[in-house]
Amino acid sequence: AIVMWTRERSFAAQAEASGLWALDELRRLADAGDLAAARAAASSVESFWAASVSTQPLAFERAMNVAVILDAPETAAMLLRPFRVEMLTPDHAAALLALAGHCGPEWMGGMLAVWFGERSRAYHDAELRRPEWLASLPGLCAALGGEGGVTRGLLTGSWRWLSDQIRMWLGYSGVSTREEHLGKLGTPLARLLEATAAARETGLRDEILGFLRERGDELRALLVSVMRGTAALSPAGRPTSGLDTLASLCALRLGELIARPVRAEDDWAIAWRDTCGCELCVPFGEFLGDGSRRTLEWPLAEARRKHIQQSIRAAELPVRHQTLRAGSPYTLVLAKTDALFERERKARQRAVTDLAWLNENWPAAD
């Protein structure tokens, strides 16, 4: 096969095959003093640039350096738009500072928002590599040397994403699933707090602590996960990151659970979040909340039975359901199960274990 293109399209054709080559060629043109040619060449790759470099971490630093040399904000934004914040490492600190200093805080803030994927579906995707990347954030902030604009942008962007994840899982009705996923966010949250200490961003640290304090015991699993993920942190680093304060809050939440009266043997009340409010969920919620009722026989059409059954499954309610296939409509029979008592017993025992561990590893918490 013979591939031909016009001389005017030579750069674009080769750039589409290799984004790394294109960045090196742009650097060569600029260093040779032909800045106009470099800018024109860069503009010619816009239609395919994202596909050429988006999966190449090596291209990130080169693109930042070229963006500074080209001294053209719109072209710089185009070259850097395909990258993700997860590609940033402490080794990029010098290039990132040069870029921020050259393009200014407003431009840099917009670029960070793009890298964080804000206002995009990816921003809300919990399966991103962002939790893993957050482990490197304290080192990145330290490497940036406390440069306010860039570090603040990285920290606030990280907190926006992380707080969105926390709110999302708080709204999940299934208790075990909710606590499992909140627990997975503990280590990223711990690293973020450590990063605020490295950057001396006490305002954001206090904002995070206030958010966690206001949520009551809903975040108990998250708090325990944070503490277990930072037990090895030296005592000197704990106060500035706010982790000492968080340890005390965690101890308080665990103590509140342990201090609750043990459920009476005849108390069958089940707490449930009715996020639907329909004509079926209201009476269903009344049944769940009635501590003196254990069973309910409810004549319902098939679609209405399925709605209640789905609510039971989604919220992982300790309620057994079966359908009596007699009469019209069939009857949905609901029965609260002993799992209600067993779950509370296990939660209390887990809290006792966690509090003992916390008091041993974070003495100030007690």
Side-chain angles (χ1 to χ4, degrees), residues 6 13 16 45 70 74 78 92 99 106-107 136 192 198 215 241 259 270 284 300 320 362:
T6 63
E16 190 167 5
V45 304
L70 292 181
E74 291 185 5
M78 181 272 294
H92 291 123
L99 182 67
E106 184 175 351
W107 184 95
S136 69
L192 176 58
R215 263 60 190 180
S241 62
I270 299 175
F284 178 55
L300 291 173
R320 184 173 59 252
W362 293 80

Side-chain angles (χ1 to χ4, degrees), residues 10 19 30 55 147 155 183 191 212 244 270 305:
S10 179
T55 60
E147 200 289 318
L155 291 170
R191 299 292 89 80
L212 299 173
D244 272 354
I270 299 175
R305 292 196 307 271

Side-chain angles (χ1 to χ4, degrees), residues 2-329:
I2 299 176
V3 181
M4 303 178 64
W5 55 79
T6 63
R7 186 170 298 171
E8 292 77 12
R9 291 286 300 165
S10 179
F11 176 83
Q14 295 178 80
E16 190 167 5
S18 173
L20 289 172
W21 173 87
L23 291 168
D24 289 342
E25 182 65 9
L26 290 174
R27 180 69 180 263
R28 187 191 67 77
L29 288 171
D31 288 345
D34 200 348
L35 195 57
R39 290 171 178 168
S43 298
S44 71
V45 304
E46 183 171 4
S47 62
F48 57 80
W49 184 245
S52 296
V53 296
S54 60
T55 60
Q56 299 184 43
L58 288 176
F60 203 174
E61 184 173 359
R62 296 189 199 182
M64 284 191 276
N65 292 331
V66 168
V68 171
I69 295 171
L70 292 181
D71 193 25
E74 291 185 5
T75 303
M78 181 272 294
L79 291 174
L80 291 166
R81 194 173 292 118
F83 299 100
R84 306 288 304 170
V85 73
E86 290 83 7
M87 295 180 178
L88 279 175
T89 72
D91 292 338
H92 291 123
L96 192 57
L97 288 174
L99 182 67
H102 188 80
C103 296
E106 184 175 351
W107 184 95
M108 193 70 238
M111 202 70 256
L112 285 173
V114 170
W115 291 343
F116 271 104
E118 295 181 16
R119 296 177 298 279
S120 72
R121 180 177 178 179
Y123 176 76
H124 300 282
D125 187 351
E127 300 304 318
L128 287 172
R129 291 174 49 210
R130 192 153 301 165
E132 178 185 345
W133 172 77
L134 282 168
S136 69
L137 190 56
L140 178 56
C141 289
L144 288 168
E147 200 289 318
V150 179
T151 53
R152 192 175 304 115
L154 289 169
L155 291 170
T156 55
S158 298
W159 174 234
R160 274 195 299 270
W161 179 83
L162 191 53
S163 61
D164 279 352
Q165 292 294 309
I166 293 172
R167 290 187 183 95
M168 180 182 72
W169 287 114
L170 277 176
Y172 200 82
S173 55
V175 176
S176 64
T177 303
R178 181 170 69 241
E179 291 190 347
E180 175 191 352
H181 285 276
L182 286 173
K184 290 179 180 179
L185 296 175
T187 298
L189 178 57
R191 299 292 89 80
L192 176 58
L193 285 168
E194 291 172 26
T196 64
R200 298 182 292 279
E201 286 287 343
T202 57
L204 180 61
R205 177 202 64 193
D206 294 343
E207 179 186 334
I208 295 171
L209 294 176
F211 173 91
L212 299 173
R213 192 179 294 113
E214 292 172 0
R215 263 60 190 180
D217 67 350
E218 294 177 305
L219 293 179
R220 189 171 52 249
L222 174 62
L223 297 178
V224 171
S225 177
V226 171
M227 294 300 100
R228 288 189 177 274
T230 53
L233 187 67
S234 68
R238 293 177 175 183
T240 53
S241 62
L243 289 167
D244 272 354
T245 300
L246 214 56
S248 298
L249 178 61
C250 183
L252 175 64
R253 298 296 181 236
L254 291 169
E256 290 171 346
L257 173 57
I258 295 169
R260 291 176 189 171
V262 176
R263 180 184 287 269
E265 293 181 359
D266 60 350
D267 180 7
W268 292 92
I270 299 175
W272 177 59
R273 299 176 181 177
D274 180 6
T275 58
C276 178
C278 72
E279 60 178 357
L280 294 176
C281 287
V282 171
F284 178 55
E286 292 173 352
F287 162 67
L288 293 175
D290 190 338
S292 62
R293 297 182 66 188
R294 186 176 179 182
T295 62
L296 172 64
E297 295 186 3
W298 200 354
L300 291 173
E302 182 180 8
R304 295 159 74 83
R305 292 196 307 271
K306 287 183 176 179
H307 181 68
I308 295 300
Q309 291 164 347
Q310 174 59 29
S311 296
I312 293 171
R313 287 192 295 269
E316 302 168 8
L317 296 173
V319 177
R320 184 173 59 252
H321 56 87
Q322 64 180 105
T323 301
L324 294 181
R325 301 183 179 278
S328 181

